Amino acid sequence: MRKFILDLKVLKTEILSPKHVLLRLTCDDVLPEMRPGQFVEVRVDGSSTTFLRRPISINMVNRDDNELWLLVAMVGDGTRTLGTLSAGDRLNVVLPLGNGFSMPQRCDERVLLVGGGVGMAPLLYMGAELNRAGFKPTFLLGGRTDKDLLELESFNRYGRVCVTTEDGSMGEKGFVTNHSVLQEYFDRIATCGPTPMMKAVARYALQQGIECEASLENLMACGLGACLCCVEKVYERENPLPGAQPHHVCVCKDGPVFNVKRLLWQI
């Protein structure tokens, strides 16, 4: 897929929590095609300590309004600077990068999208695309408290939403893998969030014989496979032959989405 370097215009910066902002961006021309699970690399201007671009998941592509949404967790100087952008500002972005989630192969597939923390971001666009294709996905979203559950109104537009919180302030108390919705049958799972959460989801999927893809959140400095910051050991194929040897790939170029059967952390 062709990549673009664009100066996008900020339409609005929405404060979703003390630690999260939603950047709504547009382009003078029609935005390029982007797939759920892909990401962008943004240049941070105005931060004296930020020299590299920052990778951010594609939260939503609104084709009708020609908008790209980026959900930003303000955890360092660079992302805090992004949180200060206002309407009319310009943001230099490289997009689209990486490979996205797979779409269902059958019209009757039941799809579960599991997210935790800011890892919920790419699942909104995935849910929107599934809904547009005639599916009604189930979202399973987890956070430490209710304040960590973002964009719930938007998620509700595209499917059923189930939530967990570690303190019980919203939804069922516990982790996503404790939620009662997992007693239902699903054909496919897509997950993104903290690595321990994704590992637990992947173990559940493998035990149940459910196809599962995980979007890894390795440090991705360049987004093009040049800097080797994001390497991960994986098998060449989803069902490796006995004695198959793993090899290194760049998550930014060969991922960030992988079938969990390829990942060594499932051993």
Side-chain angles (χ1 to χ4, degrees):
M1 186 177 287
R2 185 182 172 190
K3 299 172 178 59
F4 299 82
I5 302 177
L6 302 175
D7 282 316
L8 301 183
K9 182 172 70 174
V10 178
L11 289 173
K12 188 176 182 180
T13 301
E14 297 182 19
I15 299 174
L16 302 185
S17 81
K19 299 184 294 184
H20 301 89
V21 296
L22 178 65
L23 299 179
R24 294 174 53 179
L25 310 167
T26 192
C27 186
D28 295 333
D29 299 314
V30 177
L31 285 166
E33 187 69 24
M34 290 171 266
R35 293 177 53 201
Q38 291 185 303
F39 67 100
V40 306
E41 289 272 357
V42 301
R43 189 180 71 202
V44 182
D45 298 324
S47 172
S48 60
T49 62
T50 307
F51 305 103
L52 300 174
R53 290 179 180 265
R54 290 294 183 262
I56 301 177
S57 297
I58 294 170
N59 180 221
M60 176 60 73
V61 178
N62 185 326
R63 295 181 179 89
D64 293 336
D65 297 328
N66 199 40
E67 288 187 18
L68 167 66
W69 295 6
L70 300 179
L71 178 60
V72 180
M74 296 180 289
V75 296
D77 290 344
T79 47
R80 281 194 292 268
T81 298
L82 293 176
T84 66
L85 293 172
S86 56
D89 288 338
R90 291 280 175 171
L91 185 64
N92 187 268
V93 178
V94 181
L95 59 83
L97 297 171
N99 299 307
F101 291 110
S102 301
M103 294 292 286
Q105 301 300 305
R106 303 192 322 269
C107 62
D108 61 344
E109 286 192 40
R110 298 188 62 184
V111 185
L112 178 66
L113 306 179
V114 185
V118 76
M120 292 183 281
L123 301 182
L124 180 62
Y125 185 30
M126 179 61 172
E129 289 296 277
L130 286 167
N131 185 273
R132 194 163 72 101
F135 297 91
K136 187 174 182 181
T138 296
F139 299 98
L140 176 54
L141 310 175
R144 291 176 179 167
T145 74
D146 57 349
K147 294 179 175 59
D148 297 312
L149 298 171
L150 310 171
E151 300 184 291
L152 292 184
E153 184 177 340
S154 295
F155 279 107
N156 271 298
R157 296 187 191 124
Y158 304 115
R160 177 176 54 147
V161 178
C162 305
V163 301
T164 66
T165 49
E166 293 179 31
D167 67 351
S169 53
M170 182 180 289
E172 296 186 15
K173 185 175 182 179
F175 301 115
V176 290
T177 47
N178 304 131
H179 199 284
S180 58
V181 75
L182 295 182
Q183 297 173 16
E184 300 179 16
Y185 175 80
F186 293 97
D187 299 284
R188 183 181 297 270
I189 296 175
T191 185
C192 185
T195 299
M197 183 209 79
M198 290 195 292
K199 287 183 177 181
V201 171
R203 283 194 296 271
Y204 165 81
L206 291 171
Q207 290 166 1
Q208 300 297 318
I210 302 171
E211 285 297 309
C212 181
E213 291 181 329
S215 179
L216 305 192
E217 295 189 318
N218 297 34
L219 178 65
M220 295 181 282
C222 73
L224 302 170
C227 69
L228 305 181
C229 287
C230 63
V231 292
E232 181 86 16
K233 261 190 174 182
V234 301
Y235 288 108
E236 183 66 35
R237 48 194 292 180
E238 295 171 11
N239 296 295
L241 297 172
Q245 295 299 310
H247 65 285
H248 288 95
V249 297
C250 290
V251 169
C252 67
K253 180 171 66 69
D254 300 291
V257 176
F258 293 92
N259 188 300
V260 297
K261 295 175 185 175
R262 295 184 61 194
L263 298 172
L264 265 69
W265 44 250
Q266 284 310 303
I267 297 176

